[in-house]
Amino acid sequence: MKYMKLGSRPDTFFTTEAVRSVSSEVSSDLIIQVKGFRYLLHKFPLLSKCLRLQRLCSESPDSSQPQTLQLPDFPGGVEAFETCAKFCYGITITLSAFNIVSVRCAAEYLQMTEDAEKGNLIYKLEVFCTSCIFRGWKDSIVTLQSTKSFPLWSEDLGVTGRCIDAIASKVLAHPSKVCLSRSYSRGGRDDSSCNGAESQRHRLAPKGWWAEDIAELGIDLYWRTMVAIKSGGRVPSILFGEALQIYAFRWLPTMSKDGIASSKQATLDNCSDSMGEITSKHRLLLESIVSLLPMEKGSVSCRFLLKLLKAANILGASSSSKMELARRVGIQLEEATVNDLLIPSLSYTNETLYDVDIVMTILEQFRLQGQSPPTSPPRAKLVFERRRSRSAENVDFEFQESRRSSSASHSSKLKVAKLVDGYLQEVARDVNLPLSKMIALAEAIPNFTRPDHDDLYGAIDIYLKAHPNLNKSERKRLCRILDCKKLSMEACMHAAQNELLPLRVVVQVLFFEQARAAMAGGQVADLPNNIKALLATQEHDPARHPPPLDSNTTGLVDDEWSVSGLKSPKSNLSTLRMKLAEDDNEMGENDVQQDGNGKASKLKAFCSLRTRPKRMFSKLWSINRSMNERH
C-alpha cells in the first residue's frame, strides 16, 4: 500500500497526567480540549495554518494566558487532531489509506487551506489521494471502508464518491492495467506497484477477481459500488450475478453453507444489538441484493434465487422483494430441484410445513412467461424482410429458429411438470396440507406437459395415506386430477389393489389396463366398442405413451409402490364384484346429491347393468389369464 511522510522533526509530544504537551523551551499559550483530552500547545505554529483556530481565538472573550478552546464536535477524534497539530509543528507524520479520511476531515474542520498558508495540509492530502490512493486497488477499498466512520464529512468532501468511481473504473478495466495489491492473490506479498511477476499474475487473474474484495464492504457502500459497476455496461451479467452470490453467502446468516453467519458477521453486529436490530440489518441487506439482480435470464442460478426466497421468508422481507424473487424463479424454474422448492412456512395463520402459496405464485409466473410461444414468423416482419429483398431461404431459416425456440419452451414445461409432481410427493406427507391446495398445485401444470401420470399417482397415494380421514367425496375430488390412460403397467397394477382409491378409479384402471393387454394380444374384437374408441386416441398418439415407472425416483421406502408381493387380479375379482354391489346404491345417491342436476356418472351407468359387468370382467380376466399362460 502507498504511504506518504510529511515533516522532518522528531516527535516531541508527551503525556503528563492525561494532558498531552509538546516539548519546547517556550511555555504553552493555548489549551485545546478535544473529546475529553487536553492539549497544551502554542498559538504561533497552529494559528498560522488553521483559520478556524484563528477565528475562535479572536472571538473568545477569554484574554487570559493560556487561552482555552473547546472543540466538542471535532471529526476524527484525538488521533486525527494530533496528526494535524504535529504537521503544524513540522513533526514527521505518516499518511496512508487507513488514516487519510480522518485526517482529511480534521484538516477541513480546522480550515487548513491555501488561504492560511501555501502548501497547507489539505493541498498535500488531495495530491496524495489523486496520485496514489485512488490509483491503487487496495488503497481505494480501504479508504472507502474508512469513510463509514465519517459518512457526512466524507460525502461533503467527495471522498466517498471518488473512491467508488476509482473502484468501478478498475473493475471495468483489464486486470493487467490495475495495480493490485490484494484480490486474486491475497496470500501473496503486499506489493504497491505493478511490475514483473506481479503483472504476470494479474494477467492470469480470473474475470471475477474483484468480487471477493468488494464483498467486504458494508451494504450501503457495496450497493453504490455495484450500481457504478453495473452502469459501466462492461461486466457480463453472469459475473455480476456471481459477485452478488459471493456477497450474499458472506453476510446473510441463512445463506452460509453451515447455516450460520460467517466470522465476518461478528464484526458487523455488536454483541449488545438486539435480535430485532440484527434481523433488520439482514433484511435491508437482502432487499438491497434483490434490487441489484441483473435482468438477464440465467445471470444467477435458480437455486440461488430460491435460497434468497427462503431467506426472505425467514427475515420477513417486503412483499415486493418476495414477488420479484418469485418472478425471477418462475422465468427459469426448469433449473430447480424439489429440495430447492421446499421453502419452510413461517406464517402464524398457516400451519402447513412448507410455503405452498409462494410455490403457487412461482408456477403462475412460469405459466405467464410461457403462455404464447412463437409458432410462425410475424407478418409485419415478413413484409419488412421483403422490403429489404431478403431471400426466401433466410425467412425460412428464421421460421425454423422460431420453431426451435418454441420446442425448447415445451421442453422446459415438461421438466417443470416432473418437478411439480416430485414436489407434490414431498408436501403430500404434510398432515396439515389442505386438499384444495393439493389439487391446485396439481392443476397448475397443463395436462399435456405430463406424458405419464405415474408420479402424480404416487403423490395421490402418499396424500391418501397421510390423510386417512378423507371422506369418499374428497377422495373422488382428489382423484379427478388423475388420468388413468397415462398410467404405466406397474402403476395400474398397484392402483388396482389400492384400497384407498375410490371404486370409480379402480374400475377405470382395470378397463384401460385390460383393454391395453387385449389389444396387444390381438383380441380387440372381444372388447366393447366404447373402450376401443377411447383407447384409439391414446394408441395413435405416440407422444402420450406412458414410459415405465422409474422406481429410483420414488419417495421414502414406506411410500414406494410396486407390483412385487401384490395379489393376482384373479384373487381380487370376487372382492371387486362385492364392492361394485355394495357401492351401487351409495354412489348413485351421492352423485345425485353432489351434482344437483340428476346426471348419472359413467360409473353409475356401468353399475346399473345387472349382468354385463360380471360378464365383462370375466371376459377381461380370461383374456389376461390366457395371455399369461401363452407367455
Side-chain angles (χ1 to χ4, degrees):
M1 291 182 64
K2 301 290 192 338
Y3 64 92
M4 179 178 67
K5 287 189 175 183
L6 299 175
S8 58
R9 294 181 56 188
D11 190 358
T12 55
F13 273 72
F14 64 96
T15 303
T16 304
E17 296 180 357
V19 176
R20 294 284 287 171
S21 306
V22 60
S23 178
S24 175
E25 298 178 355
V26 182
S27 60
S28 62
D29 55 357
L30 182 62
I31 300 176
I32 299 179
Q33 294 184 352
V34 179
K35 304 290 184 180
F37 283 81
R38 297 183 64 192
Y39 284 88
L40 302 181
L41 305 174
H42 304 83
K43 288 184 178 180
F44 173 72
L46 292 176
L47 271 57
S48 62
K49 291 181 174 61
C50 304
L51 294 179
R52 189 183 188 93
L53 296 181
Q54 291 182 20
R55 190 182 75 252
L56 291 177
C57 288
S58 61
E59 294 174 354
S60 176
D62 187 8
S63 59
S64 60
Q65 295 294 334
Q67 194 171 4
T68 302
L69 299 179
Q70 302 266 354
L71 303 178
D73 54 348
F74 190 85
V78 294
E79 294 182 359
F81 174 79
E82 189 165 320
T83 301
C84 293
K86 289 180 179 179
F87 173 80
C88 295
Y89 280 96
I91 298 174
T92 303
I93 60 174
T94 302
L95 300 171
S96 67
F98 292 101
N99 65 350
I100 193 168
V101 175
S102 60
V103 175
R104 178 65 180 86
C105 296
E108 187 69 23
Y109 180 89
L110 295 174
Q111 299 178 5
M112 303 177 71
T113 62
E114 295 297 288
D115 295 336
E117 183 179 275
K118 294 296 181 181
N120 211 343
L121 183 57
I122 291 180
Y123 171 78
K124 294 182 182 297
L125 292 175
E126 289 294 330
V127 171
F128 178 58
C129 286
T130 305
S131 60
C132 298
I133 294 295
F134 298 145
R135 290 191 178 185
W137 173 251
K138 183 178 180 180
D139 299 275
S140 300
I141 292 180
V142 172
T143 302
L144 181 59
Q145 286 178 313
S146 62
T147 59
K148 64 183 179 182
S149 301
F150 320 98
L152 298 179
W153 281 91
S154 300
E155 287 291 344
D156 293 341
L157 297 176
V159 177
T160 305
R162 286 185 289 173
C163 286
I164 292 174
D165 293 340
I167 294 172
S169 64
K170 291 171 178 55
V171 172
L172 299 175
H174 193 274
S176 61
K177 299 179 181 179
V178 181
C179 290
L180 302 179
S181 53
R182 199 176 193 173
S183 72
Y184 178 57
S185 55
R186 291 190 187 185
R189 63 185 186 277
D190 191 17
D191 297 334
S192 59
S193 61
C194 293
N195 49 33
E198 193 76 12
S199 297
Q200 178 67 22
R201 185 172 67 245
H202 298 159
R203 284 193 292 270
L204 299 177
K207 293 181 179 179
W209 55 268
W210 48 272
E212 290 283 350
D213 288 343
I214 66 173
E216 297 184 5
L217 297 173
I219 184 58
D220 294 335
L221 298 176
Y222 180 83
W223 188 88
R224 293 176 58 180
T225 304
M226 293 295 284
V227 168
I229 294 173
K230 191 176 183 179
S231 62
R234 297 182 184 178
V235 176
S237 59
I238 294 181
L239 290 181
F240 196 87
E242 289 177 356
L244 292 177
Q245 185 168 342
I246 290 173
Y247 192 83
F249 272 95
R250 173 165 297 190
W251 293 109
L252 283 177
T254 53
M255 297 291 292
S256 57
K257 295 181 180 179
D258 55 357
I260 59 173
S262 60
S263 59
K264 295 284 186 180
Q265 186 61 36
T267 61
L268 178 67
D269 303 314
N270 296 328
C271 296
S272 59
D273 289 344
S274 64
M275 288 301 297
E277 292 174 344
I278 296 176
T279 302
S280 178
K281 291 179 181 179
H282 290 151
R283 188 187 305 117
L284 173 63
L285 191 148
L286 181 131
E287 293 175 353
S288 300
I289 293 175
V290 173
S291 67
L292 288 171
L293 291 173
M295 297 299 297
E296 293 80 5
K297 178 182 177 180
S299 56
V300 292
S301 65
C302 186
R303 174 169 295 182
F304 172 63
L305 291 173
L306 285 167
K307 286 183 178 181
L308 286 179
L309 193 53
K310 291 180 182 179
N313 257 16
I314 295 173
L315 298 174
S318 62
S319 58
S320 60
S321 297
K322 292 182 181 179
M323 285 301 300
E324 176 63 16
L325 288 171
R327 184 187 69 82
R328 291 177 178 272
V329 171
I331 294 176
Q332 50 196 95
L333 183 57
E334 66 274 9
E335 304 173 9
T337 64
V338 174
N339 288 334
D340 295 334
L341 288 178
L342 296 178
I343 303 174
S345 176
L346 302 177
S347 174
Y348 293 103
T349 60
N350 192 356
E351 296 181 354
T352 57
L353 185 60
Y354 300 109
D355 194 340
V356 179
D357 295 332
I358 194 66
V359 175
M360 287 292 298
T361 304
I362 293 173
L363 291 174
E364 177 67 16
Q365 295 298 324
F366 175 80
R367 186 185 65 84
L368 291 176
Q369 63 96 16
Q371 257 184 342
S372 303
T375 56
S376 61
R379 181 174 299 179
K381 183 174 182 179
L382 290 177
V383 174
F384 179 71
E385 302 295 349
R386 293 192 190 101
R387 289 178 181 175
R388 295 178 56 187
S389 301
R390 295 187 60 180
S391 63
E393 290 79 3
N394 289 338
V395 177
D396 183 67
F397 174 76
E398 292 181 2
F399 176 70
Q400 295 298 330
E401 289 294 318
S402 176
R403 291 289 300 271
R404 190 175 294 114
S405 65
S406 176
S407 64
S409 176
H410 180 70
S411 175
S412 66
K413 291 178 182 178
L414 296 179
K415 293 179 181 178
V416 170
K418 192 75 174 177
L419 173 68
V420 171
D421 289 345
Y423 178 77
L424 283 171
Q425 293 183 6
E426 291 295 329
V427 299
R429 311 174 199 275
D430 186 3
V431 295
N432 294 321
L433 180 66
L435 177 64
S436 58
K437 290 189 177 181
M438 179 73 179
I439 297 175
L441 275 172
E443 294 178 343
I445 298 300
N447 191 43
F448 73 89
T449 60
R450 286 189 175 101
D452 67 86
H453 276 211
D454 286 2
D455 291 338
L456 182 60
Y457 169 70
I460 292 175
D461 183 52
I462 293 173
Y463 190 85
L464 291 175
K465 291 178 181 178
H467 302 78
N469 296 327
L470 290 178
N471 57 40
K472 185 178 298 184
S473 174
E474 291 173 333
R475 286 188 286 120
K476 288 182 185 178
R477 182 181 166 198
L478 174 63
C479 292
R480 285 195 185 102
I481 62 179
L482 185 66
D483 188 350
C484 298
K485 298 188 301 294
K486 293 187 176 184
L487 292 178
S488 66
M489 180 180 296
E490 187 177 3
C492 287
M493 295 295 290
H494 185 276
Q497 306 294 313
N498 195 339
E499 297 181 355
L500 298 176
L501 293 177
L503 180 61
R504 176 185 316 207
V505 178
V506 176
V507 172
Q508 289 178 353
V509 169
L510 288 172
F511 265 138
F512 292 123
E513 180 58 26
Q514 295 301 322
R516 188 184 295 117
M519 293 182 68
Q523 302 183 23
V524 184
D526 296 332
L527 294 176
N529 292 331
N530 58 343
I531 297 181
K532 289 194 295 182
L534 186 59
L535 285 173
T537 59
Q538 172 72 12
E539 297 295 337
H540 287 92
D541 188 0
R544 300 177 66 180
H545 283 179
L549 181 68
D550 185 4
S551 60
N552 295 329
T553 60
T554 56
L556 299 176
V557 177
D558 294 339
D559 296 316
E560 292 181 354
W561 43 270
S562 64
V563 297
S564 59
L566 293 178
K567 301 177 182 178
S568 63
K570 180 179 178 181
S571 63
N572 274 8
L573 180 59
S574 58
T575 304
L576 181 59
R577 288 173 177 171
M578 293 176 60
K579 292 180 68 177
L580 281 169
E582 292 173 359
D583 290 358
D584 188 7
N585 296 328
E586 294 181 9
M587 294 184 65
E589 295 174 0
N590 292 339
D591 287 341
V592 172
Q593 293 176 0
Q594 189 171 6
D595 296 341
N597 53 8
K599 292 183 179 180
S601 63
K602 295 180 181 178
L603 184 59
K604 181 183 176 183
F606 171 78
C607 294
S608 63
L609 301 177
R610 298 185 178 275
T611 60
R612 188 174 180 183
K614 297 181 179 180
R615 294 175 182 175
M616 185 175 299
F617 276 113
S618 299
K619 185 179 297 183
L620 293 177
W621 295 135
S622 63
I623 294 172
N624 185 58
R625 184 166 53 252
S626 62
M627 290 183 62
N628 292 334
E629 293 174 356
R630 185 184 309 169
H631 293 291

